[in-house]
Amino acid sequence: MAVSSPPPTSPSSSEPRPQARWLGPLALLAPSGLWLLLLLVLPTLVIFQLSLVPNIRPGDVVNPSGLDNYWLAFNSTNLTVIVRSLSLALGTTAVCLLLGFPVAYWIAILAPRSRRNLLLLGFILPLWTSSLLRTYAWITILRPTGVLNTFLGTFGLPPLELLNTSAAVTIGMSYSFLPYMVLILYSSLEKLDTQLLEASADLGAPPLQTFLKITVPQALPGIAAGSLLVFISSLGDFIDPELLGGASSMTAARLIYNQFLGQTQNWGFGSALSTILILAVSIAIALLLKYGDRDAYRS
Amino acid sequence: MLQTASPNTDLAGREAEFDVELRKVFKVFNGETAVRGVEFNIRRGEFFSILGPSGCGKTTTLRLIGGFEMPSAGEVLIRGQSVNQVPAYRRPVNTVFQSYALFDHMNVRDNVGFGLRLKKMAKAEIQHSVDEVLELVKLESLATRFPKQLSGGQRQRVALARALVNRPAVLLLDEPLGALDLKLRKQMQYELTSLHQDLGMTFVMVTHDQEEALSLSDRIAVMNDGRIEQIGSPQEIYDAPKTPFIADFIGDTNLFEGHVEEADESSLLVRSQAGLDLAIERGESGADVADAPRLDRGSAVAVSIRPEKIDLHLYPPETSVNTFEGRLIQAMYLGTHVQFTVELSNGATLTVRQPGSGSERIALGTAVFVSWSPSSALALSR
């Protein structure tokens, strides 16, 4: 043959050895992985184990024996509490979205670029105060002889009985979580290519059509992420329902608190409720990841 | 003259001859004047280009027609109707944006059908129109792709289809080919020309690429610093630029600053600042075009000579008019021609372009003579 054989090559000389390929990522993930394992995964497993023991109190021997605690969680009284928690969280999410979107839109698109950071800072400033303090402020505002009713009274309007209602809880939680919603929506709207809005107008869309057909779809990942964050935070919020809700608006988070630190002292039932909440939130996230992945077209 | 199916009439009841008219239009942004008294009329069916360097106000002018900016003073008319109070979404024009501005949450078909859906057209009709226009821009096979899955050239076609499908009175093109590589740009230039011919639609294109403007347009408006310096056919702009700026911006030229030393009916003698005496023949095209200010003894002028109009000699030519001695300092082979840089004895440099295969090589540093005919030079008043 006229063609000389190719020089011998060593096939693996340029590639790292197999074990070296996963050593790097492992080293990077180890610290946070260990953290998560010790402080999230193990406690969750302990809670799951506790949830299988009926009527366990501090000091009792852990002896898993069945699903009784779960059946308890779904009796009519406790089911009402879970449904109330979910609807309060949904309501808070809706309020935050409706109030937060115009603000984020204004800061991200309409306000002068040089002022944006200042405006944003002004909006997240409340986050720097203690959440307990903010909730007490709402008590001062909402109580029967509070700021709101004094204000209404000066105009001859009848007083509103808001404190110790679900409305007060929704107001308090919306106030607490609105800045997070605004921040997430802002970062999403800030990336919006305003030339798309011009293109939409160019093709004959009046402002409202442009908003519905271009702005909202473009901001959808932000809307989903912000809503999820507010929903999860509201579902787990304890302070606002406890201080603003009164006896009438018992929520899952308060019920769990009572099982561990309140008078009831039933760790098994508290653990079962916790497991149910964790499952509910996980399912919500999973659904969002599966069906809400509007980023697919961006790849 | 091109007739459209639905003739628009102006207030006097005449059919409007122009698709776009700008009357003394100004645009001021935060105290900065971007457009200063721009006036032009664009005829129906014309391919009209606005050409100028970046920051000259050409894109702002296009946005004033599209309705994305409203004039600070003056009037914009489309088909004889003032549109000063008409927002973009009610104007009978469509734009191909420089960055294409495709909706990345919709596929190609939905992008193109966007305008028609807003007009509440029947579904079957939309489907038909979209298919038709996708075929026109050769994108039938990519109808269900998303913009992110397309190449630059394909996105350009989607942007074009999305505008064309609405059958606008005027198609506005903002640097439409700016983001494409050279080969694709040439191809799209060809396709734009044939689209324009087939559709008979009025095209208004903004570009900074003089070659693109020259090769595509029926007429060109050259803008500089917010003003229009000249409007004319590509040939007029190239052969008879009215200002030194245009002579320099359109194609390459050699400019000599100076003043008129002698002037009579048929010729001018200009003395350059470097002391060269330049003879210029006054013609119908070129120096002293009708509306240029009269050039008399003492007028400050710039003399423009295109590189391809200059002859290069190794020995003194027979004539001494416009003949200067110099030294070859650079030679560049450019494919179809060779470009020489000659340093004259007074230190000025001249660019000379000659068709050639590059076979006759002249060594750098060689003493050479340059000359040109008095009819090839233009005197442009300063």
Side-chain angles (χ1 to χ4, degrees):
Chain A
M1 254 174 83
V3 182
S4 61
S5 60
T9 53
S10 48
S12 60
S13 62
S14 60
E15 284 173 29
R17 278 165 299 159
Q19 72 265 34
R21 247 180 298 175
W22 51 261
L23 257 175
L26 188 74
L28 290 171
L29 287 175
S32 58
L34 205 63
W35 178 272
L36 283 176
L37 187 71
L38 289 177
L39 297 176
L40 186 77
V41 178
L42 285 181
T44 307
L45 290 176
V46 169
I47 283 177
F48 182 66
Q49 192 193 21
L50 279 175
S51 75
L52 299 174
V53 187
N55 287 319
I56 189 169
R57 290 169 161 273
D60 288 359
V61 179
V62 178
N63 187 13
S65 63
L67 293 170
D68 295 8
N69 287 322
Y70 289 90
W71 306 138
L72 187 61
F74 289 110
N75 78 18
S76 66
T77 321
N78 294 326
L79 199 61
T80 315
V81 170
I82 290 174
V83 169
R84 184 186 294 123
S85 290
L86 289 173
S87 54
L88 275 173
L90 271 177
T92 304
T93 307
V95 169
C96 285
L97 196 58
L98 289 177
L99 293 181
F101 202 97
V103 175
Y105 185 87
W106 180 66
I107 298 178
I109 292 173
L110 302 179
R113 192 169 281 276
S114 55
R115 300 274 169 77
R116 283 182 196 165
N117 284 340
L118 198 69
L119 287 167
L120 218 51
L121 184 74
F123 213 80
I124 59 171
L125 217 54
L127 286 181
W128 292 6
T129 61
S130 145
S131 64
L132 201 59
L133 209 65
R134 279 181 271 147
T135 309
Y136 274 114
W138 275 112
I139 294 176
T140 316
I141 294 170
L142 296 177
R143 68 174 179 225
T145 56
V147 177
L148 180 67
N149 282 334
T150 313
F151 180 76
L152 288 174
T154 54
F155 291 99
L157 295 165
L160 287 172
E161 301 221 1
L162 283 174
L163 196 60
N164 300 333
T165 64
S166 292
V169 179
T170 309
I171 290 172
M173 291 202 296
S174 300
Y175 180 74
S176 299
F177 303 131
L178 185 59
Y180 298 107
M181 180 67 100
V182 170
L183 273 179
I184 290 176
L185 288 178
Y186 169 82
S187 71
S188 174
L189 284 169
E190 193 229 346
K191 289 194 288 263
L192 179 69
D193 178 2
T194 48
Q195 193 146 66
L196 295 184
L197 309 182
E198 289 187 346
S200 170
D202 184 73
L203 294 165
L208 181 67
Q209 294 283 340
T210 297
F211 179 78
L212 294 175
K213 292 189 166 133
I214 308 299
T215 312
V216 170
Q218 288 283 321
L220 212 55
I223 291 172
S227 299
L228 195 66
L229 183 76
V230 171
F231 181 78
I232 293 171
S233 305
S234 308
L235 207 55
D237 188 21
F238 166 74
I239 292 175
D240 289 296
E242 179 73 15
L243 295 182
L244 300 172
S248 67
S249 53
M250 177 60 72
T251 63
R254 288 175 75 185
L255 204 54
I256 293 169
Y257 174 87
N258 285 344
Q259 305 315 312
F260 287 95
L261 301 166
Q263 304 93 347
T264 330
Q265 293 277 326
N266 185 344
W267 284 20
F269 179 53
S271 300
L273 276 175
S274 301
T275 307
I276 290 168
L277 269 194
I278 290 168
L279 272 176
V281 168
S282 305
I283 289 169
I285 294 175
L287 285 176
L288 192 88
L289 287 179
K290 186 156 165 51
Y291 297 105
D293 188 15
R294 303 289 290 193
D295 266 15
Y297 54 78
R298 287 170 200 273
S299 59
Chain B
M1 167 93 205
L2 192 121
Q3 296 289 325
T4 49
S6 57
N8 286 50
T9 51
D10 65 8
L11 294 175
R14 290 169 290 141
E15 189 182 327
E17 181 187 355
F18 300 115
D19 265 347
V20 180
E21 293 161 75
L22 264 67
R23 294 181 185 161
K24 290 246 178 300
V25 171
F26 286 80
K27 181 64 189 177
V28 183
F29 293 107
N30 304 322
E32 297 240 357
T33 311
V35 173
R36 304 164 190 264
V38 163
E39 279 195 289
F40 54 67
N41 297 327
I42 299 172
R43 294 184 203 113
R44 183 150 303 167
E46 192 170 29
F47 198 133
F48 189 88
S49 293
I50 306 173
L51 173 66
S54 56
C56 73
K58 57 187 191 298
T59 295
T60 306
T61 305
L62 195 79
R63 289 170 61 82
L64 284 161
I65 303 172
F68 308 116
E69 309 288 353
M70 296 298 173
S72 309
E75 199 173 15
V76 178
L77 293 94
I78 294 173
R79 293 229 160 139
Q81 310 282 326
S82 171
V83 291
N84 273 18
Q85 307 298 325
V86 179
Y89 62 89
R90 280 203 256 118
R91 293 192 184 192
V93 299
N94 286 113
T95 308
V96 175
F97 292 86
Q98 184 173 8
S99 62
Y100 314 141
L102 299 182
F103 306 132
D104 55 11
H105 59 286
M106 299 178 192
N107 65 19
V108 169
R109 170 173 295 283
D110 291 341
N111 262 283
V112 175
F114 190 80
L116 299 181
R117 287 202 301 279
L118 285 163
K119 286 183 190 143
K120 304 258 183 288
M121 206 184 251
K123 267 211 171 104
E125 218 175 321
I126 294 177
Q127 171 103 12
H128 178 72
S129 299
V130 170
D131 283 341
E132 209 173 54
V133 79
L134 284 179
E135 200 185 315
L136 190 69
V137 298
K138 307 185 188 73
L139 281 178
E140 312 95 302
S141 57
L142 302 176
T144 54
R145 294 266 188 100
F146 282 90
K148 285 280 153 74
Q149 301 167 315
L150 301 177
S151 71
Q154 290 165 341
R155 273 182 234 172
Q156 221 282 333
R157 287 159 198 269
V158 177
L160 205 55
R162 190 177 66 173
L164 286 175
V165 77
N166 303 292
R167 308 239 150 237
V170 183
L171 183 73
L172 306 176
L173 302 133
D174 184 7
E175 302 263 7
L177 311 178
L180 304 179
D181 61 53
L182 185 67
K183 190 152 179 164
L184 206 51
R185 197 155 65 220
K186 293 284 172 210
Q187 189 191 336
M188 283 307 293
Q189 282 182 5
Y190 171 77
E191 288 182 23
L192 269 185
T193 315
S194 51
L195 267 179
H196 177 250
Q197 280 163 1
D198 294 348
L199 299 172
M201 200 181 275
T202 307
F203 280 26
V204 183
M205 179 176 78
V206 153
T207 181
H208 67 272
D209 183 337
Q210 39 109 356
E211 197 191 320
E212 194 168 287
L214 290 173
S215 56
L216 296 180
S217 322
D218 295 322
R219 279 195 307 154
I220 300 172
V222 185
M223 277 188 86
N224 183 30
D225 197 23
R227 292 189 185 82
I228 290 195
E229 296 228 344
Q230 185 172 357
I231 300 180
S233 70
Q235 202 186 349
E236 280 164 7
I237 300 274
Y238 189 83
D239 288 340
K242 281 186 186 168
T243 65
F245 168 79
I246 296 175
D248 196 30
F249 187 70
I250 311 288
D252 295 323
T253 198
N254 295 291
L255 282 180
F256 295 94
E257 302 288 336
H259 64 273
V260 176
E261 194 66 20
E262 287 169 26
D264 63 34
E265 287 302 301
S266 61
S267 66
L268 288 171
L269 186 70
V270 173
R271 178 152 302 157
S272 80
Q273 282 166 0
L276 302 176
D277 280 336
L278 310 165
I280 294 152
E281 188 183 300
R282 298 186 124 165
E284 280 169 30
S285 70
D288 268 345
V289 266
D291 51 344
R294 266 206 69 75
L295 296 174
D296 282 314
R297 202 178 135 76
S299 309
V301 292
V303 175
S304 158
I305 307 118
R306 298 276 184 205
E308 67 271 20
K309 299 278 174 72
I310 302 178
D311 292 321
L312 194 67
H313 316 268
L314 287 171
Y315 303 101
E318 285 159 20
T319 171
S320 65
V321 176
N322 290 342
T323 301
F324 304 98
E325 199 178 341
R327 205 165 53 86
L328 186 70
I329 58 170
Q330 201 182 51
M332 262 193 289
Y333 179 64
L334 296 177
T336 54
H337 49 259
V338 186
Q339 181 167 305
F340 301 100
T341 308
V342 175
E343 189 181 70
L344 300 184
S345 36
N346 65 9
T349 55
L350 264 186
T351 305
V352 180
R353 196 174 291 162
Q354 306 236 295
S357 53
S359 58
E360 11 155 3
R361 303 193 70 112
I362 311 172
L364 297 187
T366 310
V368 291
F369 295 88
V370 289
S371 72
W372 59 86
S373 149
S375 61
S376 301
L378 289 173
L380 306 162
S381 84
R382 270 287 180 202

